[in-house]
Amino acid sequence: MRRRAGRTRRGGVGWIRVRVGAHGLRHVLVVLVRGERGKSGGRADGSAGGAAASSGTTGAQGASGSKGSSGTTGSKGSDGSAGSKGSSGSKGSGATSARCSVSATRTTATVVSRPLNHMLLTVTNTGSKNCDLLYYPAVRFGEAQSVPAAYEDSKPQAVVTLAPGESGYASVRLSAGDGGGSDGYTAKSLEVYFDTGANTAARPSLPAKGVYVDDSIRVSYWQSTMDDALNW
């Protein structure tokens, strides 16, 4: 049988030199068919392999490491013990002072020559504890229905506190020095309330002839010295 010229065909892998003869045609066709199948099969397998590889990569990426176990919560620290409460300081003797009372004091009323028409009230603490003279005395001469006003400018900066044996003072202007007062009268008795809120009065004695009082009467606030009291 006559031979045909040789042709070159590309197979599944590399190049295949084909010599076509009477008996070789079928063989060549089989080789070509197998080559094409191998090629398509290789591509399919390659694609599948690539997909598998890709899937495999994804799978490797998705495989997370095992989650670490959570740490145990630390036990709560015990609260510190509260500090002991400090003891209160003892009060000073002045902090325990009470209002001076008639029963624990002695009160005198003395007419003085200077200032003119003035009287000095003296209250002495005869008790065993400190006491306070508050504000100004409320005095009532004879049958008077009211008590005189005080000189507000005579108000001291602090309350007058009397230790046992100490004295406090207040002055009383009995009448106008120039005779300008009115409704004057002579009083022979005196009641002294230590302040306007007191309920009990001391009753110091007056001179036998009494004292002259008019509507200009005024009192000073309680003072710690005689001189301060007589300035008013």
Side-chain angles (χ1 to χ4, degrees), residues 186-217:
T186 299
K188 293 187 177 183
S189 66
L190 171 64
E191 293 181 345
V192 179
Y193 296 86
F194 291 163
D195 58 74
T196 56
N199 297 320
T200 306
R203 292 177 172 82
S205 60
L206 294 177
K209 63 178 182 178
V211 294
Y212 181 78
V213 180
D214 65 22
D215 60 3
S216 66
I217 186 172

Side-chain angles (χ1 to χ4, degrees), residues 129-208:
K129 296 180 180 180
N130 292 0
C131 70
D132 295 333
L133 287 173
L134 306 176
Y135 309 112
Y136 56 89
V139 298
R140 180 177 284 117
F141 286 90
E143 300 299 323
Q145 300 300 310
S146 61
V147 297
Y151 293 107
E152 288 299 325
D153 290 344
S154 68
K155 184 176 182 179
Q157 293 183 350
V159 172
V160 175
T161 299
L162 304 180
E166 291 184 342
S167 299
Y169 309 89
S171 65
V172 182
R173 189 184 73 172
L174 299 172
S175 59
D178 58 2
S182 60
D183 300 327
Y185 63 96
T186 299
K188 293 187 177 183
S189 66
L190 171 64
E191 293 181 345
V192 179
Y193 296 86
F194 291 163
D195 58 74
T196 56
N199 297 320
T200 306
R203 292 177 172 82
S205 60
L206 294 177

